[in-house]
Amino acid sequence: GEGPLVSPWAADFPILARPVRKRRLAYLDNGATTQKPRAVIQAMEAFYEQSNANIHRGVHWLSQHATDLYEQARDRVRVLLNAPDSQDIVFTAGTTASINLVAQTWGQSLRPGDEILVTGMEHHSNIVPWQLLCARTGAVLRHARITDSGELDLDDFRAQLNPRTRLVGVAHVSNALGTVNPVAELVRLAHEAGALALVDGAQAVAHAPVDVQALDCDFYAFSGHKLYGPTGIGALYVRGSIMAGLPPWQGGGDMIRTVSFEGSTWADGPQRFEAGTPNIGGSIVMGAAIDYVLAIGLERIAAHEAALLAEATERMLELPGVRLVGTAAHKAGILSFLVDGIHPHDLGTILDTDGVAIRAGHHCAMPLMSRFGIPGTARASFALYNDGRDIDALVAGVRKAQKLFGVA
Ligand code: PMP
C-alpha cells in the first residue's frame, strides 16, 4: 500500500457529511445510483431560478435561452462519448428508455427468424426489451455464455453470431460483477457478421473514458443518475447514418415537421425521438454533471477507483469465509461477494446499522445469478468520493456480522 486512500473530491458531496444511523455514511451503493456534487445541485437551482422555459417553440428570449442551454447539454454528451456530432445524441429518460427506444424504432425492421445476441451478464434492461420485441416480431433472443470468472465466453459469443444476427447488445461494464467487456472487439465481430452493436454504458460512463468512435458501436446508452446527475434523464448515442433511417417511436409535439389528418412527417435528427416537452432541466443539469467529471478527468477517476477496488479486494479476501463472485482480469469499481453462513440481505442489514450502504440481491441480473447457482450477492460499488475509511467500515461490518452469526 501507498498509505491511506483518500478522495480529494469527497468534500464536493454534501450528503456524505450527513450521519446515517448516527454513524459516518460509507456509501458503497454507487451501482444503484451516485450522490450529487454541489456543482450539480447548484446547476439545478440556477436553471429553475434563472433559465426555466419551454424549448424549441417560444419566440421569447427565455425560451431561446433554455433552448440554447438544452442544446449545449447535448453537446456535453457528445464530448463525454466523443461522438462525431451532437445531432447523434438523443436525450432519453435513462438507459432503460434508451434501449427500449432502439427496440421500438430500429426493432420495427425485424422479421421472424432474425436474431438478437446479448450476453449472459446483461442487466434486465438489456434483456427484457428484446424479449418483448421478439414476442412482437418472431425474432429470437440468444445469449452468450459467461465463464466461472464472470467473463464473456468469447468462443461461445463467436459461435452464436451468424448471418441471422441483426443486433448484438452488450454491457460495457457489468453492474453485478464489475467485469469490463472487450467491447471494441465484440463490435468488430458483430459488424463482420453483418449485425449492429448496442453498448449498455450505464455502469461505464462515470468510471472511465468512453469513445464511441474508437468502440465503433452503433448505439451507446447511459443514465444521468449514475453519472452524478439527476434521475429521469439519460442519453442514447446513435450512429448518424443509422439515425437518419430510424422511424419514430412516441408521437407528439416537437417530433414532427408537419401534421395533417392526411398524414404527418417527422423532424430530422434526435428531435424525432424527443416527443413532447422533454426533461429540459434534467438534461441541462446532467450537462453540469458531465462538466464535473470531465474537469476532474475520467482517467484520474478510473485510477482512484482501481486503487479502491484493489484494496477492498485484498482486505476482503483476508477474511475467512468470503468468496468473490466475478474475478475477471479486467474489472471496474465493483466487488460482488458472498460470506459463508450469512445471507446477503442479512449482511446488508447488519452493515446498514453502522452506516455502511451496500446492495444485496440479484442486481437486476437474474440470469447471471442463475448462471452461478445463487439468488444474489452482496455488492460494494465504488465512486470517485469513496476512500479508505469506507473500505475499513465495510471490512469491520463484515467481521461484526460474522461474529453475530457465529460463523468465523
Ligand atoms: N444497465 C446497467 C449495466 C445498469 O447498471 C443499469 C442501472 N443499474 C441499467 C442498465 C438501467 O439503468 P436505469 O435504471 O437508469 O435505466
Side-chain angles (χ1 to χ4, degrees):
E2 287 78 40
L5 280 166
V6 297
S7 169
W9 310 294
D12 297 341
F13 291 79
I15 204 170
L16 299 179
R18 71 151 292 170
V20 165
R21 300 198 185 282
K22 300 189 174 137
R23 302 291 298 270
R24 174 185 174 273
L25 171 61
Y27 186 78
L28 295 169
D29 195 18
N30 298 288
T33 199
T34 54
Q35 300 302 344
K36 316 308 169 198
R38 199 170 284 105
V40 165
I41 298 166
Q42 285 173 349
M44 179 163 315
E45 191 169 292
F47 172 72
Y48 288 108
E49 283 193 355
Q50 298 293 328
S51 306
N52 178 58
N54 211 331
I55 56 166
H56 292 147
R57 33 173 91 98
V59 293
H60 60 82
W61 185 89
L62 206 54
S63 172
Q64 288 294 334
H65 177 55
T67 304
D68 289 347
L69 294 178
Y70 184 74
E71 293 304 328
Q72 280 164 26
R74 196 189 301 282
D75 198 60
R76 301 320 289 158
V77 177
R78 177 192 65 75
V79 172
L80 179 77
L81 302 181
N82 193 34
D85 194 314
S86 65
Q87 292 301 296
D88 302 340
I89 306 298
V90 184
F91 283 122
T92 68
T95 308
T96 302
S98 292
I99 297 173
N100 277 278
L101 190 162
V102 176
Q104 296 206 24
T105 58
W106 171 82
Q108 291 175 30
S109 70
L110 282 199
R111 296 290 167 261
D114 284 348
E115 295 181 10
I116 308 273
L117 175 61
V118 297
T119 82
M121 72 174 85
E122 297 309 310
H123 188 282
H124 297 163
S125 67
N126 201 20
I127 298 173
V128 182
W130 308 122
Q131 290 177 327
L132 294 171
L133 177 63
C134 288
R136 283 199 301 276
T137 60
V140 177
L141 178 62
R142 295 184 173 279
H143 65 275
R145 263 201 305 271
I146 302 305
T147 67
D148 290 342
S149 61
E151 293 168 290
L152 176 61
D153 180 335
L154 265 177
D155 291 335
D156 190 49
F157 180 85
R158 274 197 212 91
Q160 300 221 37
L161 266 175
N162 69 70
R164 291 182 302 280
T165 313
R166 298 284 314 281
L167 180 131
V168 165
V170 56
H172 197 166
V173 177
S174 160
N175 67 303
L177 306 182
T179 307
V180 180
N181 279 311
V183 170
E185 184 179 357
L186 302 180
V187 172
R188 190 177 58 75
L189 292 169
H191 288 167
E192 271 174 24
L196 299 183
L198 174 144
V199 182
D200 170 357
Q203 186 57 41
V205 284
H207 305 283
V210 171
D211 182 338
V212 292
Q213 297 187 68
L215 297 176
D216 199 30
C217 57
D218 303 291
F219 304 102
Y220 195 99
F222 74 91
S223 300
H225 72 95
K226 292 183 51 157
L227 178 67
Y228 311 105
T231 53
I233 186 67
L236 174 70
Y237 160 77
V238 183
R239 186 193 297 278
S241 56
I242 293 172
M243 173 102 75
L246 289 183
W249 68 323
Q250 295 174 328
D254 265 6
M255 53 73 71
I256 50 88
R257 181 175 296 140
T258 63
V259 176
S260 77
F261 284 108
E262 286 66 51
S264 301
T265 59
W266 319 131
D268 287 329
Q271 244 183 285
R272 186 183 304 166
F273 309 102
E274 295 175 1
T277 299
N279 188 346
I280 303 164
S283 305
I284 293 166
V285 178
M286 181 168 76
I290 292 170
D291 284 341
Y292 177 79
V293 293
L294 291 180
I296 293 171
L298 280 151
E299 296 283 3
R300 280 171 86 195
I301 295 169
H304 177 69
E305 292 178 8
L308 290 167
L309 180 64
E311 169 84 4
T313 302
E314 190 183 316
R315 299 270 304 278
M316 291 292 282
L317 286 177
E318 282 166 12
L319 301 181
V322 171
R323 179 157 67 90
L324 298 192
V325 183
T327 51
H330 193 188
K331 278 185 65 174
I334 283 181
L335 192 70
S336 230
F337 60 98
L338 297 168
V339 180
D340 287 346
I342 310 180
H343 192 282
H345 281 114
D346 292 329
L347 183 66
T349 303
I350 293 165
L351 287 169
D352 175 60
T353 61
D354 287 330
V356 181
I358 64 157
R359 174 120 183 239
H362 54 63
H363 317 299
C364 296
M366 287 176 80
L368 180 63
M369 298 297 118
S370 301
R371 153 69 182 84
F372 285 99
I374 55 178
T377 70
R379 180 188 72 182
S381 48
F382 300 103
L384 55 81
Y385 39 70
N386 290 121
D387 63 20
R389 291 174 300 174
D390 299 323
I391 296 172
D392 292 344
L394 174 69
V395 171
V398 172
R399 287 303 284 158
K400 178 177 167 179
Q402 290 180 316
K403 287 193 184 105
L404 272 169
F405 274 74
V407 291

